[in-house]
Amino acid sequence: MKTFSSVAVCVLLAVVSVTAQISMRELAEITEEYRVRFDELYEDKDAFIRLARVIIRAELKGLNEATLENLANARNEIDDILTETREDIANAILLPNANEQCLLDLVNTVISEGSQAGDGMSSCAADKIAIKEGLGDEFRTLTNTLQRIATAASEYTLYTFAIHDSFNDPEDHIDWLERNYANQVAFWDEVARPEAQEDLDNMELNRPILVAENRACLDAVIARLNTAMQNVRIQINGC
């Protein structure tokens, strides 16, 4: 009887040992499968993030270049208006019976209006610079967050061994991998990628609008200066 019991115990232990070995082997195979899947998911995320960064840099560069072009054109128009008015004053001073002091006062008016036009240009530029920097910061924050999530996902399979009792409960380990992979895919496909893509689309759509708003702001500055210089020309005749 003792002999039979001993044999039975040995057989049972052998069965348990073989079962444990098979479970661990299966766990290793499944873990490797998920490692590959997580790596592929990481590569997909990383490629999209790199592309997004290239696109956002190009869009911000385009916005910056267009804004600078607007400012340069406005500066030229303002210079032309001021130069023409100063020349009118200079010609008037040469006329007989010209009131020199009156005309010199108009020169000061031209200088003051030119300074105000410069401040107006700066205000128009500052507005778009703030928007550009805000968009850049917002998108950098988003892409950096996505990058951290992508990097973390690539390390999940290694991390799982640190938080699970894989030998005694491999099923829980596998279940955790399945759930987290599914959650990662859902988050990436349903939240992260659409949000990043929406930001990219909005940047592409808004860039010409922002450029047009900048030009409209500068046009208003030029229009105000034109009105002021027309008043100066009227006063020239009175001097």
Side-chain angles (χ1 to χ4, degrees):
M1 185 65 177
K2 288 183 179 180
T3 301
F4 175 78
S5 298
S6 299
V7 171
V9 169
C10 289
V11 171
L12 179 60
L13 289 174
V15 170
V16 171
S17 177
V18 171
T19 302
Q21 289 174 5
I22 291 174
S23 296
M24 291 303 294
R25 185 164 58 248
E26 289 175 345
L27 175 62
E29 292 172 354
I30 293 172
T31 302
E32 174 61 17
E33 176 187 337
Y34 272 100
R35 183 194 66 77
V36 173
R37 294 171 72 180
F38 273 116
D39 282 350
E40 290 174 348
L41 184 60
Y42 165 76
E43 290 171 2
D44 178 50
K45 292 178 180 180
D46 192 57
F48 177 80
I49 292 168
R50 288 199 306 271
L51 175 62
R53 284 173 171 158
V54 170
I55 292 174
I56 197 67
R57 281 196 296 268
E59 290 293 339
L60 292 175
K61 180 182 179 183
L63 176 59
N64 187 58
E65 290 176 347
T67 301
L68 289 175
E69 182 178 357
N70 282 348
L71 289 169
N73 292 336
R75 179 75 267 176
N76 290 336
E77 289 186 58
I78 288 172
D79 284 345
D80 289 344
I81 294 168
L82 295 174
T83 297
E84 182 180 351
T85 306
R86 285 193 295 265
E87 288 176 350
D88 289 344
I89 294 173
N91 291 332
I93 289 177
L94 299 177
L95 295 176
N97 302 320
N99 186 333
E100 185 174 338
Q101 186 57 52
C102 176
L103 292 169
L104 290 176
D105 289 341
L106 291 180
V107 170
N108 291 331
T109 299
V110 171
I111 293 172
S112 176
E113 291 295 340
S115 177
Q116 288 189 46
D119 291 342
M121 286 183 59
S122 297
S123 178
C124 293
D127 177 48
K128 290 301 168 282
I129 290 172
I131 292 174
K132 183 191 73 173
E133 291 179 348
L135 290 171
D137 290 343
E138 179 182 347
F139 200 84
R140 275 189 291 273
T141 298
L142 175 61
T143 53
N144 288 341
T145 300
L146 294 179
Q147 187 71 69
R148 287 195 295 272
I149 293 172
T151 302
S154 69
E155 300 170 351
Y156 268 8
T157 51
L158 180 62
Y159 172 68
T160 56
F161 284 99
I163 63 173
H164 289 93
D165 185 357
S166 304
F167 184 81
N168 292 318
D169 194 359
E171 290 81 5
D172 182 59
H173 189 155
I174 294 170
D175 182 59
W176 190 93
L177 284 171
E178 291 175 347
R179 288 197 321 272
N180 277 274
Y181 180 78
N183 289 340
Q184 280 286 317
V185 171
F187 171 76
W188 182 247
D189 290 343
E190 299 171 14
V191 180
R193 186 193 290 269
E195 182 176 341
Q197 188 63 57
E198 182 180 7
D199 283 351
L200 290 173
D201 293 342
N202 286 338
M203 171 61 79
E204 184 178 0
L205 292 171
N206 288 333
R207 180 162 64 90
I209 296 174
L210 294 173
V211 172
E213 288 177 350
N214 175 248
R215 182 65 221 183
C217 179
L218 293 169
D219 285 344
V221 171
I222 293 170
R224 182 189 177 284
L225 180 64
N226 256 324
T227 299
M229 292 304 98
Q230 287 172 5
N231 290 333
V232 168
R233 292 190 188 97
I234 292 173
Q235 294 177 61
I236 289 174
N237 295 329
C239 293

